[in-house]
Amino acid sequence: MDKEVVLAIDGFEKLASFRDADGARALGKIVESHSSVRIIFSVCEPQGCFEQFLEKHGVVFRGSELIHLRPIEFSEYWSFARSKFQKAGKRISAEIFESIYSKFSGGTGPIQLVLNRLFAETPKNGSVTTEILDTVITAIADEYAFFYKEALSRLSFNQKCLVFAVAKDGAVENPSSLEFVNRHSLATVSSVQSSARALLEQGILYKDASGLRIDDDFFQEWLRKEYF
């Protein structure tokens, strides 16, 4: 009897960019020929890439069940965080937690990272303060400063200007608007469009319901601290 095997793949849509092999079809053949193999795959890019991927490889992955993972509800997340702090004799207020939740739009990754650091920095019988929170977020951003500088150095002038503009606004509903282009002294609408496409492909920007945003929340914090 074949051993049960589960393949967990993050960033699954990247398979479509493989040049030397059709990674998706190769995995599909493995699943079809081995009934004991199951695949759990996650997609991290909300720009229609996954829909295009499934359209191209739908036959291979016709048995897939799609599950949309949404942010954890505020009340549930707040209850979880508060209980962890309370068990250790520490306190975090609803106001502090709400500021963290709002800053990172409910994103589990950055929120957990900040909460873990806050837990470590808060003494027993102590409370998380805005000063501790600001220090923690700044420290995390500074830890990745080298990589952020490297990322900026690889961008063209127009791409870099667009990154700065998006970091300033937080979310840009219509980056092709003359109002946005003129307000940030960007080159032209067409240059902004081409820069946006390139930055989306590189994963520096992403687009959601609120508009164009910096993909890495700590990158945005670092940009604001260093340049604005």
mmCIF file of all heavy atoms in Angstrom, residues 181-228:
data_model
loop_
_atom_site.group_PDB
_atom_site.id
_atom_site.type_symbol
_atom_site.label_atom_id
_atom_site.label_comp_id
_atom_site.label_asym_id
_atom_site.label_seq_id
_atom_site.Cartn_x
_atom_site.Cartn_y
_atom_site.Cartn_z
ATOM 1 N N VAL A 181 -1.070 61.482 -10.110
ATOM 2 C CA VAL A 181 0.195 61.709 -10.820
ATOM 3 C C VAL A 181 0.743 63.110 -10.530
ATOM 4 O O VAL A 181 1.929 63.281 -10.212
ATOM 5 C CB VAL A 181 0.008 61.505 -12.337
ATOM 6 C CG1 VAL A 181 1.260 61.944 -13.102
ATOM 7 C CG2 VAL A 181 -0.315 60.046 -12.647
ATOM 8 N N ASN A 182 -0.124 64.114 -10.600
ATOM 9 C CA ASN A 182 0.320 65.498 -10.382
ATOM 10 C C ASN A 182 0.671 65.771 -8.916
ATOM 11 O O ASN A 182 1.639 66.483 -8.616
ATOM 12 C CB ASN A 182 -0.755 66.477 -10.843
ATOM 13 C CG ASN A 182 -0.950 66.449 -12.348
ATOM 14 O OD1 ASN A 182 -0.027 66.105 -13.093
ATOM 15 N ND2 ASN A 182 -2.142 66.792 -12.820
ATOM 16 N N ARG A 183 -0.120 65.203 -8.013
ATOM 17 C CA ARG A 183 0.099 65.463 -6.587
ATOM 18 C C ARG A 183 1.450 64.927 -6.127
ATOM 19 O O ARG A 183 2.095 65.510 -5.251
ATOM 20 C CB ARG A 183 -1.032 64.837 -5.777
ATOM 21 C CG ARG A 183 -0.906 64.988 -4.273
ATOM 22 C CD ARG A 183 -2.259 64.813 -3.599
ATOM 23 N NE ARG A 183 -2.897 63.577 -3.996
ATOM 24 C CZ ARG A 183 -2.663 62.390 -3.419
ATOM 25 N NH1 ARG A 183 -1.793 62.313 -2.426
ATOM 26 N NH2 ARG A 183 -3.291 61.304 -3.844
ATOM 27 N N HIS A 184 1.909 63.831 -6.740
ATOM 28 C CA HIS A 184 3.195 63.243 -6.357
ATOM 29 C C HIS A 184 4.302 63.565 -7.358
ATOM 30 O O HIS A 184 5.399 62.995 -7.262
ATOM 31 C CB HIS A 184 3.045 61.736 -6.205
ATOM 32 C CG HIS A 184 2.209 61.323 -5.023
ATOM 33 N ND1 HIS A 184 2.667 61.400 -3.734
ATOM 34 C CD2 HIS A 184 0.927 60.868 -4.949
ATOM 35 C CE1 HIS A 184 1.727 60.965 -2.902
ATOM 36 N NE2 HIS A 184 0.658 60.652 -3.610
ATOM 37 N N SER A 185 4.020 64.474 -8.297
ATOM 38 C CA SER A 185 5.022 64.897 -9.295
ATOM 39 C C SER A 185 5.622 63.702 -10.031
ATOM 40 O O SER A 185 6.843 63.644 -10.259
ATOM 41 C CB SER A 185 6.134 65.713 -8.614
ATOM 42 O OG SER A 185 5.603 66.852 -7.981
ATOM 43 N N LEU A 186 4.761 62.765 -10.409
ATOM 44 C CA LEU A 186 5.219 61.611 -11.173
ATOM 45 C C LEU A 186 5.337 61.983 -12.646
ATOM 46 O O LEU A 186 4.827 63.012 -13.079
ATOM 47 C CB LEU A 186 4.244 60.446 -10.990
ATOM 48 C CG LEU A 186 4.061 59.988 -9.537
ATOM 49 C CD1 LEU A 186 2.995 58.901 -9.453
ATOM 50 C CD2 LEU A 186 5.367 59.491 -8.944
ATOM 51 N N ALA A 187 6.011 61.159 -13.413
ATOM 52 C CA ALA A 187 6.336 61.511 -14.806
ATOM 53 C C ALA A 187 5.078 61.658 -15.657
ATOM 54 O O ALA A 187 4.638 62.771 -15.960
ATOM 55 C CB ALA A 187 7.272 60.460 -15.396
ATOM 56 N N THR A 188 4.492 60.570 -16.067
ATOM 57 C CA THR A 188 3.286 60.582 -16.911
ATOM 58 C C THR A 188 2.372 59.430 -16.489
ATOM 59 O O THR A 188 2.799 58.511 -15.780
ATOM 60 C CB THR A 188 3.644 60.402 -18.400
ATOM 61 O OG1 THR A 188 4.261 59.114 -18.581
ATOM 62 C CG2 THR A 188 4.582 61.508 -18.877
ATOM 63 N N VAL A 189 1.148 59.484 -16.937
ATOM 64 C CA VAL A 189 0.202 58.407 -16.640
ATOM 65 C C VAL A 189 0.698 57.086 -17.207
ATOM 66 O O VAL A 189 0.634 56.044 -16.548
ATOM 67 C CB VAL A 189 -1.191 58.741 -17.204
ATOM 68 C CG1 VAL A 189 -2.109 57.525 -17.109
ATOM 69 C CG2 VAL A 189 -1.803 59.925 -16.464
ATOM 70 N N SER A 190 1.218 57.107 -18.424
ATOM 71 C CA SER A 190 1.691 55.863 -19.051
ATOM 72 C C SER A 190 2.883 55.272 -18.302
ATOM 73 O O SER A 190 2.993 54.049 -18.159
ATOM 74 C CB SER A 190 2.072 56.117 -20.519
ATOM 75 O OG SER A 190 3.106 57.068 -20.606
ATOM 76 N N SER A 191 3.773 56.132 -17.790
ATOM 77 C CA SER A 191 4.930 55.632 -17.039
ATOM 78 C C SER A 191 4.485 55.029 -15.709
ATOM 79 O O SER A 191 5.057 54.030 -15.251
ATOM 80 C CB SER A 191 5.948 56.747 -16.795
ATOM 81 O OG SER A 191 5.480 57.679 -15.847
ATOM 82 N N VAL A 192 3.469 55.630 -15.104
ATOM 83 C CA VAL A 192 2.928 55.091 -13.858
ATOM 84 C C VAL A 192 2.308 53.721 -14.113
ATOM 85 O O VAL A 192 2.494 52.779 -13.344
ATOM 86 C CB VAL A 192 1.878 56.049 -13.250
ATOM 87 C CG1 VAL A 192 1.115 55.361 -12.118
ATOM 88 C CG2 VAL A 192 2.555 57.315 -12.732
ATOM 89 N N GLN A 193 1.593 53.580 -15.216
ATOM 90 C CA GLN A 193 0.963 52.298 -15.543
ATOM 91 C C GLN A 193 2.004 51.207 -15.780
ATOM 92 O O GLN A 193 1.857 50.085 -15.291
ATOM 93 C CB GLN A 193 0.074 52.466 -16.775
ATOM 94 C CG GLN A 193 -1.157 53.325 -16.531
ATOM 95 C CD GLN A 193 -1.925 53.627 -17.811
ATOM 96 O OE1 GLN A 193 -1.368 53.582 -18.909
ATOM 97 N NE2 GLN A 193 -3.205 53.949 -17.678
ATOM 98 N N SER A 194 3.055 51.539 -16.525
ATOM 99 C CA SER A 194 4.090 50.539 -16.796
ATOM 100 C C SER A 194 4.870 50.203 -15.526
ATOM 101 O O SER A 194 5.227 49.045 -15.294
ATOM 102 C CB SER A 194 5.040 51.033 -17.886
ATOM 103 O OG SER A 194 5.697 52.227 -17.497
ATOM 104 N N SER A 195 5.118 51.224 -14.685
ATOM 105 C CA SER A 195 5.826 50.990 -13.422
ATOM 106 C C SER A 195 4.983 50.121 -12.499
ATOM 107 O O SER A 195 5.499 49.213 -11.837
ATOM 108 C CB SER A 195 6.138 52.318 -12.725
ATOM 109 O OG SER A 195 7.070 53.078 -13.466
ATOM 110 N N ALA A 196 3.685 50.383 -12.451
ATOM 111 C CA ALA A 196 2.786 49.598 -11.602
ATOM 112 C C ALA A 196 2.782 48.135 -12.032
ATOM 113 O O ALA A 196 2.827 47.233 -11.181
ATOM 114 C CB ALA A 196 1.380 50.174 -11.654
ATOM 115 N N ARG A 197 2.738 47.885 -13.338
ATOM 116 C CA ARG A 197 2.753 46.503 -13.828
ATOM 117 C C ARG A 197 4.024 45.790 -13.406
ATOM 118 O O ARG A 197 3.989 44.634 -12.954
ATOM 119 C CB ARG A 197 2.611 46.482 -15.358
ATOM 120 C CG ARG A 197 1.198 46.742 -15.868
ATOM 121 C CD ARG A 197 1.071 46.370 -17.331
ATOM 122 N NE ARG A 197 1.943 47.187 -18.180
ATOM 123 C CZ ARG A 197 1.594 48.346 -18.722
ATOM 124 N NH1 ARG A 197 0.372 48.834 -18.508
ATOM 125 N NH2 ARG A 197 2.436 49.018 -19.489
ATOM 126 N N ALA A 198 5.152 46.470 -13.544
ATOM 127 C CA ALA A 198 6.432 45.860 -13.185
ATOM 128 C C ALA A 198 6.512 45.592 -11.681
ATOM 129 O O ALA A 198 6.992 44.533 -11.249
ATOM 130 C CB ALA A 198 7.580 46.782 -13.621
ATOM 131 N N LEU A 199 6.046 46.532 -10.883
ATOM 132 C CA LEU A 199 6.116 46.378 -9.429
ATOM 133 C C LEU A 199 5.158 45.307 -8.921
ATOM 134 O O LEU A 199 5.441 44.634 -7.930
ATOM 135 C CB LEU A 199 5.819 47.720 -8.754
ATOM 136 C CG LEU A 199 6.885 48.806 -8.986
ATOM 137 C CD1 LEU A 199 6.368 50.173 -8.557
ATOM 138 C CD2 LEU A 199 8.175 48.465 -8.242
ATOM 139 N N LEU A 200 4.036 45.149 -9.601
ATOM 140 C CA LEU A 200 3.115 44.064 -9.256
ATOM 141 C C LEU A 200 3.744 42.708 -9.564
ATOM 142 O O LEU A 200 3.640 41.759 -8.777
ATOM 143 C CB LEU A 200 1.802 44.227 -10.023
ATOM 144 C CG LEU A 200 0.849 45.320 -9.536
ATOM 145 C CD1 LEU A 200 -0.261 45.553 -10.560
ATOM 146 C CD2 LEU A 200 0.242 44.952 -8.188
ATOM 147 N N GLU A 201 4.410 42.614 -10.709
ATOM 148 C CA GLU A 201 5.060 41.369 -11.095
ATOM 149 C C GLU A 201 6.195 41.009 -10.131
ATOM 150 O O GLU A 201 6.433 39.835 -9.847
ATOM 151 C CB GLU A 201 5.610 41.486 -12.516
ATOM 152 C CG GLU A 201 4.528 41.517 -13.594
ATOM 153 C CD GLU A 201 5.115 41.726 -14.980
ATOM 154 O OE1 GLU A 201 6.356 41.867 -15.079
ATOM 155 O OE2 GLU A 201 4.347 41.748 -15.962
ATOM 156 N N GLN A 202 6.880 42.038 -9.617
ATOM 157 C CA GLN A 202 7.984 41.815 -8.690
ATOM 158 C C GLN A 202 7.501 41.529 -7.271
ATOM 159 O O GLN A 202 8.288 41.133 -6.408
ATOM 160 C CB GLN A 202 8.910 43.031 -8.669
ATOM 161 C CG GLN A 202 9.633 43.294 -9.974
ATOM 162 C CD GLN A 202 10.450 44.570 -9.930
ATOM 163 O OE1 GLN A 202 11.229 44.793 -9.009
ATOM 164 N NE2 GLN A 202 10.278 45.430 -10.927
ATOM 165 N N GLY A 203 6.230 41.750 -7.020
ATOM 166 C CA GLY A 203 5.694 41.510 -5.684
ATOM 167 C C GLY A 203 5.938 42.636 -4.709
ATOM 168 O O GLY A 203 5.712 42.476 -3.503
ATOM 169 N N ILE A 204 6.394 43.783 -5.198
ATOM 170 C CA ILE A 204 6.607 44.934 -4.318
ATOM 171 C C ILE A 204 5.284 45.633 -4.033
ATOM 172 O O ILE A 204 5.035 46.109 -2.920
ATOM 173 C CB ILE A 204 7.616 45.915 -4.940
ATOM 174 C CG1 ILE A 204 8.996 45.242 -4.995
ATOM 175 C CG2 ILE A 204 7.688 47.225 -4.155
ATOM 176 C CD1 ILE A 204 10.062 46.074 -5.672
ATOM 177 N N LEU A 205 4.420 45.686 -5.030
ATOM 178 C CA LEU A 205 3.070 46.210 -4.853
ATOM 179 C C LEU A 205 2.069 45.074 -5.018
ATOM 180 O O LEU A 205 2.368 44.050 -5.631
ATOM 181 C CB LEU A 205 2.758 47.298 -5.889
ATOM 182 C CG LEU A 205 3.598 48.566 -5.876
ATOM 183 C CD1 LEU A 205 3.106 49.531 -6.951
ATOM 184 C CD2 LEU A 205 3.587 49.244 -4.517
ATOM 185 N N TYR A 206 0.888 45.263 -4.472
ATOM 186 C CA TYR A 206 -0.213 44.350 -4.744
ATOM 187 C C TYR A 206 -1.501 45.161 -4.806
ATOM 188 O O TYR A 206 -1.544 46.313 -4.355
ATOM 189 C CB TYR A 206 -0.308 43.232 -3.706
ATOM 190 C CG TYR A 206 -0.972 43.611 -2.403
ATOM 191 C CD1 TYR A 206 -2.320 43.346 -2.183
ATOM 192 C CD2 TYR A 206 -0.247 44.207 -1.376
ATOM 193 C CE1 TYR A 206 -2.936 43.677 -0.985
ATOM 194 C CE2 TYR A 206 -0.849 44.546 -0.181
ATOM 195 C CZ TYR A 206 -2.187 44.274 0.015
ATOM 196 O OH TYR A 206 -2.787 44.616 1.199
ATOM 197 N N LYS A 207 -2.521 44.561 -5.363
ATOM 198 C CA LYS A 207 -3.779 45.272 -5.535
ATOM 199 C C LYS A 207 -4.905 44.493 -4.881
ATOM 200 O O LYS A 207 -5.056 43.295 -5.094
ATOM 201 C CB LYS A 207 -4.079 45.451 -7.032
ATOM 202 C CG LYS A 207 -5.202 46.429 -7.338
ATOM 203 C CD LYS A 207 -5.307 46.670 -8.838
ATOM 204 C CE LYS A 207 -6.362 47.721 -9.162
ATOM 205 N NZ LYS A 207 -6.462 47.977 -10.620
ATOM 206 N N ASP A 208 -5.677 45.204 -4.048
ATOM 207 C CA ASP A 208 -6.849 44.595 -3.440
ATOM 208 C C ASP A 208 -8.045 45.515 -3.629
ATOM 209 O O ASP A 208 -7.999 46.443 -4.447
ATOM 210 C CB ASP A 208 -6.603 44.274 -1.961
ATOM 211 C CG ASP A 208 -6.322 45.525 -1.132
ATOM 212 O OD1 ASP A 208 -6.509 46.656 -1.654
ATOM 213 O OD2 ASP A 208 -5.917 45.384 0.038
ATOM 214 N N ALA A 209 -9.103 45.291 -2.881
ATOM 215 C CA ALA A 209 -10.330 46.071 -3.055
ATOM 216 C C ALA A 209 -10.135 47.549 -2.769
ATOM 217 O O ALA A 209 -10.837 48.403 -3.322
ATOM 218 C CB ALA A 209 -11.433 45.510 -2.152
ATOM 219 N N SER A 210 -9.163 47.881 -1.925
ATOM 220 C CA SER A 210 -8.927 49.288 -1.572
ATOM 221 C C SER A 210 -8.007 50.000 -2.560
ATOM 222 O O SER A 210 -7.866 51.216 -2.522
ATOM 223 C CB SER A 210 -8.346 49.394 -0.161
ATOM 224 O OG SER A 210 -7.089 48.739 -0.092
ATOM 225 N N GLY A 211 -7.347 49.241 -3.429
ATOM 226 C CA GLY A 211 -6.468 49.841 -4.420
ATOM 227 C C GLY A 211 -5.069 49.263 -4.403
ATOM 228 O O GLY A 211 -4.844 48.149 -3.924
ATOM 229 N N LEU A 212 -4.135 50.038 -4.900
ATOM 230 C CA LEU A 212 -2.736 49.629 -4.987
ATOM 231 C C LEU A 212 -2.050 49.891 -3.643
ATOM 232 O O LEU A 212 -2.206 50.964 -3.063
ATOM 233 C CB LEU A 212 -2.042 50.428 -6.089
ATOM 234 C CG LEU A 212 -0.817 49.818 -6.782
ATOM 235 C CD1 LEU A 212 -1.195 48.527 -7.475
ATOM 236 C CD2 LEU A 212 -0.242 50.811 -7.779
ATOM 237 N N ARG A 213 -1.291 48.905 -3.159
ATOM 238 C CA ARG A 213 -0.661 49.013 -1.846
ATOM 239 C C ARG A 213 0.745 48.427 -1.884
ATOM 240 O O ARG A 213 1.082 47.662 -2.775
ATOM 241 C CB ARG A 213 -1.471 48.264 -0.789
ATOM 242 C CG ARG A 213 -2.930 48.670 -0.687
ATOM 243 C CD ARG A 213 -3.691 47.757 0.244
ATOM 244 N NE ARG A 213 -3.211 47.884 1.599
ATOM 245 C CZ ARG A 213 -3.760 48.712 2.505
ATOM 246 N NH1 ARG A 213 -4.793 49.462 2.154
ATOM 247 N NH2 ARG A 213 -3.296 48.785 3.720
ATOM 248 N N ILE A 214 1.564 48.804 -0.875
ATOM 249 C CA ILE A 214 2.866 48.164 -0.683
ATOM 250 C C ILE A 214 2.604 46.763 -0.133
ATOM 251 O O ILE A 214 1.831 46.588 0.813
ATOM 252 C CB ILE A 214 3.744 48.958 0.307
ATOM 253 C CG1 ILE A 214 3.972 50.390 -0.183
ATOM 254 C CG2 ILE A 214 5.068 48.249 0.535
ATOM 255 C CD1 ILE A 214 4.836 50.512 -1.411
ATOM 256 N N ASP A 215 3.245 45.758 -0.701
ATOM 257 C CA ASP A 215 2.984 44.380 -0.296
ATOM 258 C C ASP A 215 3.459 44.088 1.120
ATOM 259 O O ASP A 215 2.788 43.396 1.879
ATOM 260 C CB ASP A 215 3.656 43.418 -1.270
ATOM 261 C CG ASP A 215 3.365 41.965 -0.917
ATOM 262 O OD1 ASP A 215 2.195 41.569 -0.999
ATOM 263 O OD2 ASP A 215 4.308 41.242 -0.545
ATOM 264 N N ASP A 216 4.622 44.612 1.489
ATOM 265 C CA ASP A 216 5.230 44.357 2.802
ATOM 266 C C ASP A 216 4.920 45.537 3.719
ATOM 267 O O ASP A 216 5.404 46.645 3.504
ATOM 268 C CB ASP A 216 6.737 44.177 2.625
ATOM 269 C CG ASP A 216 7.458 43.815 3.910
ATOM 270 O OD1 ASP A 216 6.949 44.144 5.004
ATOM 271 O OD2 ASP A 216 8.541 43.223 3.832
ATOM 272 N N ASP A 217 4.125 45.294 4.766
ATOM 273 C CA ASP A 217 3.735 46.366 5.680
ATOM 274 C C ASP A 217 4.933 47.012 6.362
ATOM 275 O O ASP A 217 4.945 48.221 6.597
ATOM 276 C CB ASP A 217 2.782 45.831 6.746
ATOM 277 C CG ASP A 217 1.468 45.364 6.160
ATOM 278 O OD1 ASP A 217 0.702 46.211 5.688
ATOM 279 O OD2 ASP A 217 1.220 44.141 6.165
ATOM 280 N N PHE A 218 5.955 46.220 6.674
ATOM 281 C CA PHE A 218 7.126 46.771 7.348
ATOM 282 C C PHE A 218 8.004 47.561 6.378
ATOM 283 O O PHE A 218 8.706 48.489 6.775
ATOM 284 C CB PHE A 218 7.920 45.660 8.031
ATOM 285 C CG PHE A 218 7.133 44.975 9.109
ATOM 286 C CD1 PHE A 218 6.649 43.692 8.929
ATOM 287 C CD2 PHE A 218 6.845 45.633 10.299
ATOM 288 C CE1 PHE A 218 5.906 43.069 9.913
ATOM 289 C CE2 PHE A 218 6.108 45.019 11.293
ATOM 290 C CZ PHE A 218 5.635 43.733 11.103
ATOM 291 N N PHE A 219 7.958 47.198 5.112
ATOM 292 C CA PHE A 219 8.631 47.986 4.082
ATOM 293 C C PHE A 219 8.010 49.378 4.025
ATOM 294 O O PHE A 219 8.708 50.395 3.936
ATOM 295 C CB PHE A 219 8.523 47.281 2.733
ATOM 296 C CG PHE A 219 9.293 47.936 1.611
ATOM 297 C CD1 PHE A 219 10.421 48.714 1.862
ATOM 298 C CD2 PHE A 219 8.892 47.759 0.289
ATOM 299 C CE1 PHE A 219 11.128 49.309 0.820
ATOM 300 C CE2 PHE A 219 9.583 48.351 -0.754
ATOM 301 C CZ PHE A 219 10.697 49.128 -0.481
ATOM 302 N N GLN A 220 6.698 49.419 4.092
ATOM 303 C CA GLN A 220 6.011 50.710 4.086
ATOM 304 C C GLN A 220 6.377 51.536 5.307
ATOM 305 O O GLN A 220 6.626 52.739 5.204
ATOM 306 C CB GLN A 220 4.493 50.497 4.052
ATOM 307 C CG GLN A 220 3.694 51.785 4.102
ATOM 308 C CD GLN A 220 2.240 51.581 3.723
ATOM 309 O OE1 GLN A 220 1.931 51.374 2.551
ATOM 310 N NE2 GLN A 220 1.364 51.618 4.690
ATOM 311 N N GLU A 221 6.448 50.889 6.474
ATOM 312 C CA GLU A 221 6.838 51.604 7.692
ATOM 313 C C GLU A 221 8.260 52.139 7.562
ATOM 314 O O GLU A 221 8.546 53.265 7.966
ATOM 315 C CB GLU A 221 6.750 50.662 8.903
ATOM 316 C CG GLU A 221 5.332 50.282 9.290
ATOM 317 C CD GLU A 221 4.526 51.474 9.759
ATOM 318 O OE1 GLU A 221 5.072 52.354 10.442
ATOM 319 O OE2 GLU A 221 3.326 51.532 9.412
ATOM 320 N N TRP A 222 9.142 51.333 7.004
ATOM 321 C CA TRP A 222 10.536 51.740 6.838
ATOM 322 C C TRP A 222 10.641 52.913 5.868
ATOM 323 O O TRP A 222 11.380 53.866 6.109
ATOM 324 C CB TRP A 222 11.357 50.558 6.340
ATOM 325 C CG TRP A 222 12.809 50.863 6.138
ATOM 326 C CD1 TRP A 222 13.777 50.925 7.101
ATOM 327 C CD2 TRP A 222 13.453 51.170 4.891
ATOM 328 N NE1 TRP A 222 14.990 51.247 6.526
ATOM 329 C CE2 TRP A 222 14.813 51.400 5.180
ATOM 330 C CE3 TRP A 222 13.005 51.260 3.587
ATOM 331 C CZ2 TRP A 222 15.736 51.725 4.180
ATOM 332 C CZ3 TRP A 222 13.912 51.578 2.587
ATOM 333 C CH2 TRP A 222 15.258 51.813 2.886
ATOM 334 N N LEU A 223 9.913 52.862 4.778
ATOM 335 C CA LEU A 223 9.917 53.952 3.802
ATOM 336 C C LEU A 223 9.447 55.256 4.438
ATOM 337 O O LEU A 223 10.051 56.321 4.234
ATOM 338 C CB LEU A 223 9.028 53.608 2.610
ATOM 339 C CG LEU A 223 9.540 52.556 1.632
ATOM 340 C CD1 LEU A 223 8.433 52.145 0.661
ATOM 341 C CD2 LEU A 223 10.749 53.086 0.855
ATOM 342 N N ARG A 224 8.390 55.171 5.196
ATOM 343 C CA ARG A 224 7.854 56.380 5.841
ATOM 344 C C ARG A 224 8.845 56.950 6.842
ATOM 345 O O ARG A 224 8.972 58.179 6.971
ATOM 346 C CB ARG A 224 6.529 56.046 6.531
ATOM 347 C CG ARG A 224 5.381 55.806 5.557
ATOM 348 C CD ARG A 224 4.118 55.384 6.282
ATOM 349 N NE ARG A 224 2.975 55.356 5.366
ATOM 350 C CZ ARG A 224 1.775 54.922 5.692
ATOM 351 N NH1 ARG A 224 1.550 54.478 6.929
ATOM 352 N NH2 ARG A 224 0.790 54.937 4.815
ATOM 353 N N LYS A 225 9.543 56.081 7.553
ATOM 354 C CA LYS A 225 10.512 56.553 8.547
ATOM 355 C C LYS A 225 11.748 57.141 7.890
ATOM 356 O O LYS A 225 12.291 58.154 8.353
ATOM 357 C CB LYS A 225 10.904 55.389 9.462
ATOM 358 C CG LYS A 225 11.893 55.775 10.555
ATOM 359 C CD LYS A 225 12.135 54.609 11.500
ATOM 360 C CE LYS A 225 12.916 53.516 10.829
ATOM 361 N NZ LYS A 225 14.356 53.861 10.659
ATOM 362 N N GLU A 226 12.188 56.534 6.795
ATOM 363 C CA GLU A 226 13.433 56.947 6.155
ATOM 364 C C GLU A 226 13.285 58.146 5.231
ATOM 365 O O GLU A 226 14.197 58.952 5.114
ATOM 366 C CB GLU A 226 14.005 55.775 5.360
ATOM 367 C CG GLU A 226 14.523 54.635 6.202
ATOM 368 C CD GLU A 226 15.780 55.022 6.967
ATOM 369 O OE1 GLU A 226 16.674 55.652 6.362
ATOM 370 O OE2 GLU A 226 15.847 54.688 8.171
ATOM 371 N N TYR A 227 12.123 58.277 4.592
ATOM 372 C CA TYR A 227 12.016 59.260 3.511
ATOM 373 C C TYR A 227 10.962 60.345 3.719
ATOM 374 O O TYR A 227 10.978 61.360 3.023
ATOM 375 C CB TYR A 227 11.721 58.549 2.186
ATOM 376 C CG TYR A 227 12.862 57.663 1.732
ATOM 377 C CD1 TYR A 227 12.860 56.289 1.997
ATOM 378 C CD2 TYR A 227 13.953 58.199 1.031
ATOM 379 C CE1 TYR A 227 13.902 55.472 1.584
ATOM 380 C CE2 TYR A 227 14.992 57.394 0.622
ATOM 381 C CZ TYR A 227 14.975 56.027 0.905
ATOM 382 O OH TYR A 227 16.008 55.222 0.488
ATOM 383 N N PHE A 228 10.043 60.171 4.650
ATOM 384 C CA PHE A 228 8.971 61.151 4.775
ATOM 385 C C PHE A 228 9.020 61.863 6.138
ATOM 386 O O PHE A 228 9.405 61.268 7.114
ATOM 387 C CB PHE A 228 7.595 60.501 4.589
ATOM 388 C CG PHE A 228 7.498 59.600 3.377
ATOM 389 C CD1 PHE A 228 6.821 58.414 3.435
ATOM 390 C CD2 PHE A 228 8.116 59.964 2.184
ATOM 391 C CE1 PHE A 228 6.729 57.582 2.328
ATOM 392 C CE2 PHE A 228 8.050 59.150 1.073
ATOM 393 C CZ PHE A 228 7.348 57.952 1.152
#
